[in-house]
Amino acid sequence: MQETNKYLKLARTAREEGNTEDAKKFYDIVRTEDPENGEAKFFYPFFALYEGTNGEIAKRFQNLTNVLEPAVKLVALSAETDEEKAEVIRAMVKEYTPLTWSLNRYMNTLTVGSGQNQTRVLSSRDITAAGEAGVIGLYRLGDAIAKYFSDRPEILSLAVTPWKEGVSLQQKWYAYKYDGKKPEEYAEKIKKIEPSYEMPKKAGCISIGRK
């Protein structure tokens, strides 16, 4: 466990310094030595997202969204203090929340060829599916925080951030379709924690990934 803690510290330092390669390397070591480490369970696939070929990125993003709930659960069940748990969840929220939108923009720029022969690497269907998976992930992350930290207000309040982003994406960009009833459902959840919250108005027909 001492070795695991050493590599976890190295992973956190690399993450804070923006050294994604070392962060991925050290989180990989941590998850191998301690499969029950929730922080490594999230951050290894997060930092591995852009590895491999561009055509695989949608699948890797789906894999990341699938570990959100298990990772939060492992953090909650860990022997760390509440303050330490809050730091890990805060870091997960900070990194995951803007990812759906930024990844969508990135996926839209992936092309092969040039001139009239230029084509996109990913189909519109793939890009839309990734956007939908991202919204589901945002709701899933918030739900997991609310489920496992319902008795710890400081950590519970962090659920609001991904929920807000999910609602915002669905309201502003029509292609983030998912379940059309979800924005109102999650707006009510947000209001229970943040009573002053007002759900964004529904925008017109704006294409996904474009302003």
Side-chain angles (χ1 to χ4, degrees):
M1 186 60 68
Q2 186 174 356
E3 280 294 299
T4 299
N5 289 339
K6 179 183 77 173
Y7 287 115
L8 185 58
K9 289 179 181 178
L10 289 171
R12 288 172 174 172
T13 298
R15 189 188 79 225
E16 291 167 0
E17 293 175 348
N19 185 341
T20 58
E21 189 61 33
D22 279 356
K24 178 176 67 67
K25 177 179 69 177
F26 292 129
Y27 276 123
D28 189 19
I29 295 173
V30 174
R31 76 185 184 116
T32 300
E33 295 186 349
D34 180 14
E36 300 299 300
N37 186 284
E39 182 178 344
K41 190 174 187 66
F42 169 81
F43 276 109
Y44 174 74
F46 174 81
F47 285 116
L49 184 60
Y50 293 95
E51 283 189 337
T53 65
N54 286 325
E56 298 171 343
I57 195 166
K59 182 178 181 180
R60 293 197 299 275
F61 182 51
Q62 180 65 62
N63 291 339
L64 174 61
T65 64
N66 288 339
V67 305
L68 293 171
E69 195 274 345
V72 172
K73 180 179 179 180
L74 288 174
V75 173
L77 296 176
S78 73
E80 294 186 320
T81 66
D82 281 355
E83 184 177 351
E84 291 170 330
K85 291 177 183 179
E87 285 299 311
V88 174
I89 298 299
R90 190 174 292 111
M92 291 172 61
V93 167
K94 177 183 177 182
E95 299 293 355
Y96 186 82
T97 298
L99 185 58
T100 297
W101 174 237
S102 63
L103 183 65
N104 174 262
R105 297 183 70 181
Y106 173 75
M107 292 170 70
N108 269 289
T109 66
L110 297 177
T111 59
V112 292
S114 60
Q116 294 183 345
N117 295 321
Q118 188 178 66
T119 58
R120 288 198 299 188
V121 171
L122 297 163
S123 68
S124 295
R125 179 179 297 179
D126 287 336
I127 295 172
T128 300
E132 186 170 317
V135 168
I136 293 172
L138 288 162
Y139 293 149
R140 186 178 292 167
L141 176 57
D143 286 346
I145 295 170
K147 177 179 180 179
Y148 295 107
F149 294 99
S150 60
D151 59 341
R152 280 161 276 191
E154 179 188 358
I155 304 178
L156 173 62
S157 65
L158 297 173
V160 166
T161 300
W163 282 343
K164 282 183 176 180
E165 179 71 359
V167 171
S168 177
L169 288 175
Q170 285 205 267
Q171 290 295 90
K172 293 179 180 179
W173 313 101
Y174 80 88
Y176 289 102
K177 50 188 179 180
Y178 186 36
D179 182 337
K181 297 179 181 179
K182 290 299 180 182
E184 291 188 1
E185 176 185 327
Y186 278 89
E188 290 306 309
K189 289 187 177 186
I190 294 167
K191 288 178 182 178
K192 290 180 180 179
I193 300 174
E194 190 177 300
S196 62
Y197 172 75
E198 293 185 10
M199 184 173 69
K201 293 182 179 179
K202 190 76 173 178
C205 293
I206 304 176
S207 177
I208 188 168
R210 301 180 186 277
K211 294 186 178 181

